[in-house]
Amino acid sequence: MRLAHDFDPRYKAEFVKKKDSVELLEIGVSILADYQARLAAQDTHGVLVCLQALDAGGKDGTIRHVMSGVNPQGVRVWSFKVPSTQELNHDFLWRYACRLPERGEIAIFNRSHYEEVLVVRVHPENLERQHLPEKAKGKGVWERRYRAINDWERYLNENGIRVVKLFLNMSKEEQRRRFLARIDEADKNWKFSANDVRERRYWDDYQLAFSEMLSATSTEWAPWYVIPADRKWFARVAVSAVLAQSLIEIDPQYPTLGADARRELLAAKSELETEAPKTVEPDPVAAHRPHRANAKLR
Ligand code: AMP
Ligand code: MG
């Protein structure tokens, strides 16, 4: 595929209106919160969310809005920057593998292993810093990396780690506007880096690197979602929908107790009831919420 040809950054679905987007996002957030709790309770699957975009594409804002309702204990966000000396001394997937989600957890990669075929490709001096043998960095390096990434993601998928890949697709004009907002509005100045404008000069190289990467790594077990990102409200609703759908497909369930565990529970209940002070019912919880407490124990 070719990005500019196949995907419109300004696309918005007819059935999603801006005035409804706040409410839609709230629904998405509550679905995510519910499913994240089940994911943690079941403790079998992990979810790895890979978020890619060019500078000012909206990665941070998307994370903030879409994950706003979930229990912070169940989610970890990792931002990948220029690799450290230690990281450069390892194979190229190492630093990402170190931060994979545990079972029951959602990990968000703010930038991900895909940088290894994006920024590293657009600026080949990054490849030079990776201490690679001649053969490894020679002809076909990107195809080999695509293959390694696909194999790794297939392995993760087969081991219960669901990989959800989101590309926030923003137009060049929208990036120009967002950079200008970062310059013109004092409280956004901190977000602006002169380097961002230098990177912008490589726009076409990035579009090509993204197009080839998306073509080569959108697989049955880990498809890419290209999110139209010129409208932040639409991008957030779309991301929230994709994440909710992924969790719905995993369909995590609260564990149910076996006969032994249930007997243990009832034994503990009688022990606690015998400790009740004289003036209090043996089980005040059941007394005040008889329906729920008993329903749980049966
Ligand atoms: P930011 O996301 O704005 O904090 O910037 C992080 C910077 O780290 C970006 O300029 C990325 O291009 C850069 N970066 C991320 N991953 C890599 C990598 N694997 N190799 C080289 N640079 C990277
Ligand atoms: Mg930046």
Side-chain angles (χ1 to χ4, degrees), residues 254-273:
Y254 286 109
T256 49
L257 293 183
D260 287 353
R262 197 178 308 267
R263 261 195 298 281
E264 246 174 59
L265 215 64
L266 287 169
K269 181 175 161 77
S270 343
E271 187 178 330
L272 290 169
E273 284 173 350

Side-chain angles (χ1 to χ4, degrees), residues 86-102:
Q86 188 197 25
E87 288 167 346
L88 288 171
N89 267 311
H90 285 271
D91 61 275
F92 82 94
L93 287 176
W94 179 78
R95 69 168 178 164
Y96 311 97
C98 289
R99 290 164 178 87
L100 286 171
E102 293 180 8

Side-chain angles (χ1 to χ4, degrees), residues 275-292:
E275 288 174 23
K278 285 207 177 57
T279 53
V280 177
E281 304 108 283
D283 184 348
V285 181
H288 290 117
R289 290 192 308 177
H291 211 68
R292 276 190 74 179

